Amino acid sequence: MSRYSVSQIQVYLQCPLKYRYRYIDKVPTPEFVETTDTLLWTLVHESLQNLYNNINIFKTPTKEEFIADYYGLRSKKEKETVENWWEILNHHADLTIDDFKRRWEFYLSRYYDKHAPFKDLQVISTEKQISFQLDEWINFLGFIDRLDKVWDTFIINDYKTNKNLPTEEKDQYIEQLTLYWLWIQQKYAKYFKNLKAKLYFLHFDIEDEWEITQDKLAEIKNKYLNIIKEIEQNKVQYAMWSKKIFEANQSSLCVWCDYQSICPLFTAINSDDEVEWELSDKSIVALVDQFVEVSNKISELEKEKDWLKLIFQKYVMKKDPNDEKSDFIINGSDCDVKVTKSPKMNVVDKDRFLQKVKDLWLFEEYADISRQNVNNLFLKSWKVSLGDFMWAVEQDVMFIVKKVSKKKK
Ligand code: SF4
């Protein structure tokens, strides 16, 4: 059973190499540092969670109580995170921490004004971690900010605190909330007739609501299943030592990537030295099987090569029955084959050969009667005459067959 989430898939789509570092190699990332943005996200979600949990028990707070609750959460968080607010990382050099505090209060205050008195809705759950089956083999994890019931319609709500209004990424949110329909269907199918999703862009006071249809769900589910299939195939290849299967994809998001210090695009190190990682027992067995298969193929091919060499040798002997030429070129389509006839000496009587070598005071040098040594004795050193070894050796011819490039005309 494999486990995925929308954010996991998004990492893969952004950069397959980043996916590998994070989810396969599990390369440690720098320790999490609270930033003004993450704090803003947490406080807004917690404030709205408290608000809707109170609405659900018919204890709807006044606006003053709601904002007071936010201040309570904020000072608790301040104590929890750091003594000094200035230690919280602020990516926005032109904004102070006080600017952020004002911003959060403004979002919540405007939200309250717009939605009070919160009638006609029942809250089914808030800040809920969910897990459902995408298919028989794939378990999907997600998070729902809030699930409401309004008459016979269920609505999945998601809060966004982005200061830039997303365009393309919005598709990602739509896909995410549409997929979560599967969880709702698996849990509450008989309780609703319609299902909707709603995005709240708090900074822009934009609420985007749409109906989730079976067709849209099928299309998105199919898309995610195909991406997951590709990831799973790449994982197998990677386990089989295809180290470059998860390729780096450089983009403007690289500046935020935790793995820049080891990414080959930024460090120019040979990817073989990138990260040390361990082979599982399963992958080592697969590699041994692969090695055996390759070795078997090589020995089959070697046999085939020897057989072809023999054919070329016979071809040359037929073409040149009187041994007039030493080199032959046999033409192929892209390359040729060169057959060279070369003399070779065979020792036919070892005792006589060695005795003769001793008689000629050459024992030290030629006691080793390897083919190369014997050839050297007669064909290169010119130290002896063939007549001296008449009964001990015989002369033969060997054929050297080599692939050669075609000569340019
Ligand atoms: S730095 Fe960029 S290219 Fe390299 S792993 Fe991270 S996201 Fe991918």
Side-chain angles (χ1 to χ4, degrees), residues 39-136:
L39 206 53
L40 168 66
W41 186 93
T42 310
L43 285 176
V44 165
H45 278 74
E46 284 183 7
S47 297
L48 289 170
Q49 181 182 20
N50 284 354
L51 170 68
Y52 282 96
N53 285 348
N54 280 321
I55 291 169
N56 214 23
I57 53 168
F58 310 105
K59 229 177 86 182
T60 305
T62 62
K63 182 174 169 183
E64 289 67 34
E65 287 167 335
F66 174 51
I67 297 298
D69 180 59
Y70 153 68
Y71 275 107
L73 284 172
R74 202 179 75 185
S75 50
K76 189 167 156 243
K77 196 80 190 164
E78 282 174 21
K79 283 193 192 111
E80 266 175 25
T81 39
V82 275
E83 291 301 318
N84 183 353
W85 268 79
W86 296 105
E87 286 179 23
I88 296 174
L89 194 63
N90 184 1
H91 288 306
H92 311 265
D94 52 333
L95 297 173
T96 66
I97 298 291
D98 281 341
D99 290 331
F100 273 88
K101 289 181 184 175
R102 244 193 322 278
R103 196 173 129 203
W104 306 335
E105 187 181 330
F106 179 77
Y107 290 164
L108 293 173
S109 168
R110 186 170 62 185
Y111 183 92
Y112 189 96
D113 289 342
K114 191 167 180 180
H115 295 92
F118 307 99
K119 286 233 161 86
D120 303 327
L121 92 107
Q122 276 84 50
V123 180
I124 297 168
S125 55
T126 54
E127 304 298 319
K128 176 94 181 154
Q129 182 135 32
I130 61 170
S131 160
F132 57 92
Q133 293 303 119
L134 200 57
D135 74 1
E136 209 184 333

Side-chain angles (χ1 to χ4, degrees), residues 156-329:
I156 312 171
N157 301 275
D158 203 67
Y159 317 120
K160 300 290 171 208
T161 51
N162 318 28
K163 213 159 74 59
N164 298 315
L165 185 62
T167 49
E168 283 177 30
E169 291 96 313
K170 213 180 112 189
D171 279 333
Q172 168 202 330
Y173 299 146
I174 289 174
E175 288 175 357
Q176 180 177 2
L177 297 188
T178 305
L179 270 187
Y180 292 171
W181 184 93
L182 287 168
W183 176 77
I184 297 167
Q185 193 185 42
Q186 284 163 22
K187 294 277 173 195
Y188 303 111
K190 67 177 180 181
Y191 297 127
F192 64 89
K193 281 200 179 130
N194 306 306
L195 190 68
K196 289 182 177 174
K198 197 169 186 178
L199 280 169
Y200 297 80
F201 292 101
L202 295 168
H203 185 80
F204 300 93
D205 194 24
I206 290 176
E207 295 181 6
D208 187 6
E209 185 179 279
W210 69 94
E211 198 160 332
I212 297 175
T213 62
Q214 289 284 1
D215 285 352
K216 189 75 185 158
L217 172 72
E219 181 197 318
I220 293 169
K221 186 179 161 188
N222 208 26
K223 174 181 165 183
Y224 275 68
L225 283 172
N226 283 333
I227 298 169
I228 291 170
K229 192 171 154 201
E230 185 181 305
I231 297 174
E232 290 290 317
Q233 283 168 350
N234 287 353
K235 278 190 195 168
V236 172
Q237 298 254 347
Y238 182 59
M240 305 275 284
W241 221 258
S242 263
K243 292 185 85 181
K244 300 212 167 129
I245 195 80
F246 288 95
E247 285 185 357
N249 178 30
Q250 194 168 1
S251 71
S252 57
L253 297 172
C254 289
V255 282
W256 306 109
C257 178
D258 287 329
Y259 308 102
Q260 238 193 49
S261 60
I262 53 168
C263 172
L265 292 189
F266 288 84
T267 55
I269 0 168
N270 185 327
S271 60
D272 285 348
D273 302 331
E274 276 171 42
V275 210
E276 286 192 12
W277 45 280
E278 289 180 2
L279 274 173
S280 67
D281 288 348
K282 213 169 136 196
S283 11
I284 200 77
V285 169
L287 289 171
V288 169
D289 292 347
Q290 194 182 354
F291 177 81
V292 171
E293 197 185 328
V294 170
S295 306
N296 288 343
K297 273 187 196 160
I298 289 173
S299 52
E300 282 301 310
L301 290 171
E302 284 295 345
K303 273 188 212 160
E304 204 175 323
K305 195 174 166 191
D306 287 344
W307 179 74
L308 289 167
K309 279 182 176 177
L310 200 64
I311 294 199
F312 295 145
Q313 182 182 326
K314 288 191 171 167
Y315 177 81
V316 166
M317 283 160 71
K318 207 171 167 194
K319 285 271 176 196
D320 183 33
N322 302 322
D323 268 347
E324 285 164 5
K325 286 164 74 179
S326 60
D327 286 342
F328 275 84
I329 296 289

